[in-house]
Amino acid sequence: MDFTFYISNHRETGMQLHDIRYRGERLVYEFGLQEAMAHYASQDPLHASSAYLDTSYGMGTSQWNLVDGFDCPSHATYLNTTFYISETTHVHPNSLCLFEHDTGYPIRRHLTASYVSAVKDIAFVVRAVSTVGNYDYLFEYSFHYDGVISVTARASGYIQGAFWSGDGDYGFHIYDNLSGSMHDHVINFKLDLDIKGTKNSLLKTEFVPQTKV
């Protein structure tokens, strides 16, 4: 598909992509996860003060074997990840997968008086899953024929529950004395672009909280 890139695996931040090129021209110098935070709310003091920075547990060290046919399609190619801790090299087999994927819609089509032309949108996907505590994060980078590069993050696993105190402002009553605590996930990626060289401009947007009476 005319894309080339390098894959690395960092102990804290997991899978990273480097030197992404399209037809030999570099588009991205570096693309990868920087942090994944989970912040909880609760009447329980323990849960109310819970704010997890998941890279501190190791996104890269928690990438384990992918389940063929479930985590990735059965036609995927699998790669191992390697990291170094305490003078020991660790290898997690089949913890990255690469595959082509039919998105199910045409990337281009046109109808004329005599014929219809259509081109499938086939994406090339690089995927990894990091299991950190009670969460499983599925990260994937997709490359498309039209030059689009996208990143997707999905979360699964199980919730961090709390005691149900009868106050629905902090969670949902999901069982007898169990509350599913309200919480947010903030996932941050670094994208270092090199489109048409390294002299690129940067636009910074800030969200400033305001109090209205």
Side-chain angles (χ1 to χ4, degrees):
M1 296 172 64
D2 294 325
F3 281 104
T4 60
F5 54 87
Y6 293 92
I7 305 175
S8 70
N9 184 59
H10 194 278
R11 290 188 305 176
E12 283 74 28
T13 55
M15 177 175 58
Q16 308 281 309
L17 303 186
H18 305 270
D19 194 20
I20 302 174
R21 297 173 181 259
Y22 182 71
R23 294 186 175 180
E25 183 177 353
R26 186 158 70 190
L27 305 177
V28 178
Y29 178 77
E30 182 181 359
F31 193 9
L33 177 75
Q34 296 298 289
E35 187 56 85
M37 184 190 77
H39 181 237
Y40 284 77
S42 175
Q43 287 186 325
D44 183 326
L46 173 63
H47 294 86
S49 60
S50 295
Y52 299 101
L53 299 177
D54 287 335
T55 61
S56 65
Y57 300 95
M59 286 291 193
T61 58
S62 61
Q63 292 172 166
W64 299 93
N65 302 54
L66 295 167
V67 181
D68 187 37
F70 290 85
D71 291 324
C72 305
S74 57
H75 64 273
T77 297
Y78 292 88
L79 301 177
N80 302 337
T81 53
T82 304
F83 52 91
Y84 188 76
I85 298 178
S86 301
E87 300 186 7
T88 303
T89 299
H90 301 262
V91 179
H92 287 180
N94 300 337
S95 49
L96 297 181
C97 69
L98 305 89
F99 58 92
E100 289 187 350
H101 168 63
D102 185 347
T103 62
Y105 60 87
I107 195 172
R108 180 188 60 80
R109 78 175 306 279
H110 185 60
L111 172 67
T112 71
S114 56
Y115 66 89
V116 176
S117 64
V119 177
K120 287 186 175 183
D121 181 30
I122 304 297
F124 181 73
V125 179
V126 185
R127 179 179 293 171
V129 177
S130 296
T131 301
V132 181
N134 56 315
Y135 280 108
D136 294 67
Y137 293 101
L138 187 153
F139 299 106
E140 69 177 30
Y141 298 87
S142 300
F143 299 83
H144 299 258
Y145 278 129
D146 59 356
V148 168
I149 304 171
S150 61
V151 60
T152 303
R154 298 179 175 91
S156 185
Y158 58 92
I159 65 171
Q160 175 177 300
F163 177 76
W164 172 249
S165 61
D167 192 342
D169 291 339
Y170 296 96
F172 295 94
H173 190 195
I174 58 177
Y175 203 62
D176 293 344
N177 297 310
L178 184 63
S179 170
S181 300
M182 297 285 287
H183 64 282
D184 291 316
H185 289 272
V186 180
I187 301 177
N188 180 49
F189 288 85
K190 176 183 179 181
L191 175 60
D192 189 347
L193 294 171
D194 274 353
I195 297 176
K196 294 298 182 181
T198 58
K199 295 182 180 180
N200 294 297
S201 60
L202 173 66
L203 174 64
K204 181 181 180 181
T205 303
E206 293 186 357
F207 292 91
V208 180
Q210 294 181 349
T211 302
K212 293 186 178 181
V213 180

